[in-house]
Amino acid sequence: MRNAEVAGLLEEFADLLEAQGVEYKPNAYRRAAENIRDHPRAIEDRAIEGGADAVAEIDRVGDAIASKVVEYFDTGEIEELEELRDDLPVDMAALTRVEGVGPKTVGALYEELDVTTLDELEAAAEAGRIREVKGFGAKTEQNILDNIEFAREAGQRQRLGDARPLAEAAIGHLDHEAIVERIDVAGSIRRWRDTIGDVDVLVASDDGEAVVDLFTDWSAVDDVIEAGEQKASVRVDGIRVDLRVVVPGEFGAALQYFTGSKAHNVTLRNLAIDRGLKLNEYGVFDVSELRSDGQSGADASDDAGGVEASGSGQRVGERLGGAEESEMYGALDLPVIPPELREDTGEIQAALDGDLPDLLTRGEIRGDLHTHTEWSDGGNTIAEMVQAAADRGYDYHCITDHGAGPGVFGDAGLSDAEVREQVDEVAGVRDDAEIDVFHGLEANIDADGDVTTSDDLLAALDIVIASPHAALGQDEATDRLIRAVEHPHVDILGHPTGRLINRRPGLDVDFERLAEAAAAAETALEVNANPARLDCNGDAVRAAVEAGAAIAVNTDAHSPSELDNVRYGVYTARRGWAETADVVNARDADGLRAFLE
Ligand code: DGT
Ligand code: CA
Ligand code: CA
Ligand code: ZN
């Protein structure tokens, strides 16, 4: 699938047009890009088999854009895009990652100051040249300086929501082949970190070269970075994927080792050393009988089960295991520690004490508490969203369209009168629905922490989410959010920091203090499962759980398919040690009602 690649080109097209002051057209390109990215079929199949007409069948993709897509697959480039790039030879993706710098700013700064890269932008700001440009001031210049480092780092790591589907596609490509005995992801992607440096895939096979060939021949691969006998690295859609192949008898050891984190492994290995054990990527070994000069006391190779001489320095002592990850932890009398916890933040001690959390699981989520419909900026009717929830086996569903307020643009936010109108439609859907339907609102938190919907309307609704959508550049927002959490009608604080991963750092919040206030006010903190947000993140969840605050894992879905993002929220909550009992939407409908009351 090259959908993401094509979407990226169209977005660049949009940015370059906007930088030149073109109106409307950029948004048409962006909407087309979004739908091509989400399109379930490979865009290249449509373009090559059916031509522009078939591409234009995708919602919001017009004839002009469709023919550019076809041109791209026919010729390898889009001529008009090449011309735009020549006119404006800037690193648009990097520059627009700076909070407050959009395509128009990039266009102006190139025109006036020849800024093309982040380094040049920083130099211009430091020299005080940006404030001299018409339409810019000292404040904008300072803002750029403050945000440039975030933008630089954001370029280095991928969002989990982009990397995880890619990892699963890699596994799908490799898995069905007879030569692959076992396969799993490792590294940060197995730990469900919110951002990913590279994707690690681990395979058990006796024929490494065949697996490497299969991997590098994968049609999605844009670029083979390196390929050896037992490992290879490739680039797909700008994301690096590392493959390692090990013999089946060492799969568990390698999985444990390459899952990391490095800090977790260091602490675990030290624990092993204290017990006369050696833990490495090949297995777990009893080295208590070995002499201190490093000579093998026992005959290691016999016990290692036919391991070859190479690397035998690592395979010393009596082999206790390595085929299964459980043998690695088991040798230390530990249960397998869930990958999401492996950050060396107390999980090994908890495992030693028999005190690992009873983590939330995906199947325990009973309903989504934060979803949108076409009444605000969603794409579907109330009935369609409720049916989609029922299809997913949920017990209940909450409709929470946007209320009008700061940060909600155009007619996306409902007036009080519209919310009251919506009550009737929800009631109608409720009568026919297979599951319980709750009617709520996503209200807005203004810059001072006030909720901008009238109290009597909030009181009439089943559920109220309050979210920050404006003034997201505030340095210290804890008191602002505490005000919202303490509002008597607010049930859930939605996406608390307002961050957008790699795009906007979000509010600066002291989560310990916020969580204490939330616990006292019995307001839940949301883990927004939209992969662009993952907000609260794992650390914030941990603070919430420790303070006794409730968690809600919600998708903020604007369409049925986005309900499936819930897994990103569940794993983010797990990274924060959230137990089933901490999560309000892991309760049944009556339990939820009790919480809301
Ligand atoms: P990333 O890719 O930056 O998001 O983070 P990871 O954790 O996936 O790191 P990566 O891809 O460099 O390596 C995967 C795992 O392999 C890592 O979590 C731990 C293990 N590992 C890699 N290199 C070393 C090393 O030099 N020492 C130790 N102890 N472990 C390593
Ligand atoms: Ca990695
Ligand atoms: Ca790696
Ligand atoms: Zn929302």
Side-chain angles (χ1 to χ4, degrees):
M1 294 259 291
R2 295 172 68 186
N3 299 32
E5 172 190 339
V6 170
L9 288 175
L10 295 178
E11 277 160 356
E12 184 187 353
F13 211 120
D15 286 349
L16 289 167
L17 288 172
E18 188 179 338
Q20 300 194 333
V22 177
E23 290 191 69
Y24 307 117
K25 218 167 149 186
N27 279 336
Y29 275 77
R30 290 195 185 105
R31 278 194 292 268
E34 201 175 309
N35 285 353
I36 287 173
R37 182 176 280 116
D38 293 342
H39 187 65
R41 276 189 57 200
I43 186 75
E44 60 271 28
D45 291 350
R46 265 188 190 264
I48 294 163
E49 288 160 23
D53 289 346
V55 174
E57 280 169 21
I58 299 174
D59 204 23
R60 304 256 205 183
V61 179
D63 295 339
I65 294 176
S67 63
K68 290 195 174 67
V69 172
V70 172
E71 179 191 347
Y72 180 62
F73 287 113
D74 283 348
T75 68
E77 59 178 44
I78 301 171
E79 198 182 333
E80 212 183 315
L81 176 61
E82 296 302 323
E83 283 165 13
L84 286 167
R85 283 174 173 167
D86 287 344
D87 289 346
L88 196 61
V90 297
D91 187 349
M92 182 64 84
L95 291 167
T96 52
R97 242 179 252 127
V98 179
E99 170 84 353
V101 175
K104 284 204 185 95
T105 302
V106 173
L109 294 178
Y110 175 71
E111 213 50 49
E112 300 295 325
L113 303 173
D114 282 333
V115 166
T116 63
T117 64
L118 279 181
D119 287 345
E120 288 169 7
L121 180 67
E122 185 169 38
E126 277 173 349
R129 282 155 56 212
I130 289 176
R131 67 180 77 187
E132 317 274 286
V133 176
K134 188 160 165 278
F136 292 77
K139 200 173 158 209
T140 311
E141 188 174 83
Q142 187 56 46
N143 206 32
I144 286 172
L145 281 173
D146 290 345
N147 287 305
I148 219 155
E149 204 45 48
F150 176 84
R152 231 180 232 127
E153 284 167 18
Q156 315 294 316
R157 299 185 64 80
Q158 309 290 332
R159 297 186 306 195
L160 174 67
D162 298 324
R164 184 86 206 179
L166 175 61
E168 285 159 3
I171 286 183
H173 171 72
L174 293 169
D175 196 18
H176 53 85
E177 295 293 321
I179 48 170
V180 168
E181 280 198 25
R182 294 172 72 181
I183 185 165
D184 208 340
V185 289
S188 52
I189 201 136
R190 185 162 179 246
R191 306 196 311 276
W192 295 80
R193 246 190 96 169
D194 52 7
T195 63
I196 303 294
D198 61 18
V199 169
D200 299 285
V201 175
L202 186 70
V203 162
S205 171
D206 291 313
D207 191 349
E209 275 174 272
V211 181
V212 166
D213 285 347
L214 179 64
F215 181 61
T216 55
D217 287 345
W218 183 24
S219 63
V221 168
D222 298 320
D223 184 22
V224 176
I225 301 164
E226 55 185 319
E229 288 177 13
Q230 301 288 330
K231 57 183 191 176
S233 297
V234 301
R235 204 173 299 283
V236 183
D237 291 344
I239 302 178
R240 182 186 165 115
V241 186
D242 286 350
L243 168 78
R244 275 187 197 76
V245 186
V246 300
V247 295
E250 297 181 349
F251 184 74
L255 186 60
Q256 197 289 316
Y257 180 88
F258 290 111
T259 295
S261 67
K262 215 178 262 191
H264 171 88
N265 286 352
V266 167
T267 300
L268 201 68
R269 273 204 305 271
N270 287 335
L271 183 67
I273 290 166
D274 290 346
R275 300 185 178 189
L277 301 173
K278 184 179 173 74
L279 218 56
N280 60 28
E281 62 187 286
Y282 309 105
V284 53
F285 304 90
D286 182 346
V287 291
S288 57
E289 300 295 312
L290 293 190
R291 297 209 306 270
S292 55
D293 60 3
Q295 296 270 311
S296 205
D299 186 2
S301 55
D302 282 348
D303 293 316
V307 164
E308 289 147 20
S310 73
S312 63
Q314 300 291 333
R315 299 175 176 101
V316 292
E318 184 195 350
R319 182 184 177 81
L320 300 178
E324 302 299 328
E325 196 173 50
S326 58
E327 295 166 358
M328 305 300 290
Y329 288 97
L332 297 168
D333 300 318
L334 299 178
V336 174
I337 298 175
E340 307 86 280
L341 301 187
R342 298 184 197 172
E343 300 292 348
D344 196 30
T345 54
E347 73 281 5
I348 293 172
Q349 190 59 49
L352 284 168
D353 296 343
D355 232 0
L356 282 173
D358 170 25
L359 293 178
L360 173 74
T361 63
R362 162 77 185 80
E364 288 167 343
I365 297 291
R366 309 272 197 124
D368 207 313
L369 308 183
H370 180 172
T371 69
H372 297 270
T373 74
E374 62 184 14
W375 280 75
S376 62
D377 56 352
N380 296 78
T381 64
I382 295 171
E384 284 164 351
M385 291 302 285
V386 169
Q387 185 57 48
D391 291 345
R392 283 162 178 76
Y394 284 147
D395 294 348
Y396 48 80
H397 186 72
C398 298
I399 298 291
T400 56
D401 275 311
H402 287 287
V408 177
F409 298 107
D411 55 8
L414 304 185
S415 66
D416 287 12
E418 286 169 315
V419 177
R420 290 184 203 280
E421 253 176 71
Q422 198 184 33
V423 169
D424 294 333
E425 186 172 322
V426 171
V429 172
R430 186 180 282 139
D431 285 344
D432 299 332
E434 303 160 27
I435 59 176
D436 285 330
V437 179
F438 293 84
H439 186 206
L441 186 73
E442 181 177 14
N444 302 290
I445 301 169
D446 72 11
D448 301 321
D450 288 321
V451 176
T452 61
T453 300
S454 67
D455 281 1
D456 57 334
L457 178 59
L458 296 180
L461 294 166
D462 299 326
I463 181 166
V464 175
I465 299 173
S467 307
H469 289 115
L472 296 173
Q474 279 179 342
D475 281 343
E476 223 303 311
T478 312
D479 290 329
R480 171 188 179 191
L481 295 183
I482 286 177
R483 263 180 80 79
V485 149
E486 291 177 343
H487 187 292
H489 297 311
V490 170
D491 300 301
I492 297 172
L493 178 64
H495 51 68
T497 74
R499 78 163 173 170
L500 292 176
I501 296 174
N502 284 356
R503 277 175 48 205
R504 180 168 77 203
L507 297 170
D508 199 355
V509 179
D510 174 348
F511 268 95
E512 276 177 36
R513 217 150 61 73
L514 176 63
E516 272 168 33
E522 295 181 40
T523 300
L525 300 182
E526 177 177 82
V527 178
N528 190 296
N530 182 321
R533 294 187 183 275
L534 300 181
D535 177 19
C536 299
N537 67 14
D539 291 340
V541 171
R542 186 106 184 250
V545 166
E546 277 171 12
I551 297 291
V553 178
N554 298 329
T555 64
D556 201 351
H558 287 65
S559 67
S561 65
E562 286 179 12
L563 292 171
D564 298 322
N565 284 334
V566 65
R567 63 185 186 141
Y568 295 114
V570 168
Y571 281 97
T572 298
R574 287 166 66 90
R575 283 181 61 80
W577 296 50
E579 302 201 328
T580 311
D582 297 318
V583 179
V584 288
N585 53 325
R587 303 183 185 186
D588 62 14
D590 285 337
L592 176 63
R593 272 189 203 95
F595 171 79
L596 296 174
E597 279 157 19

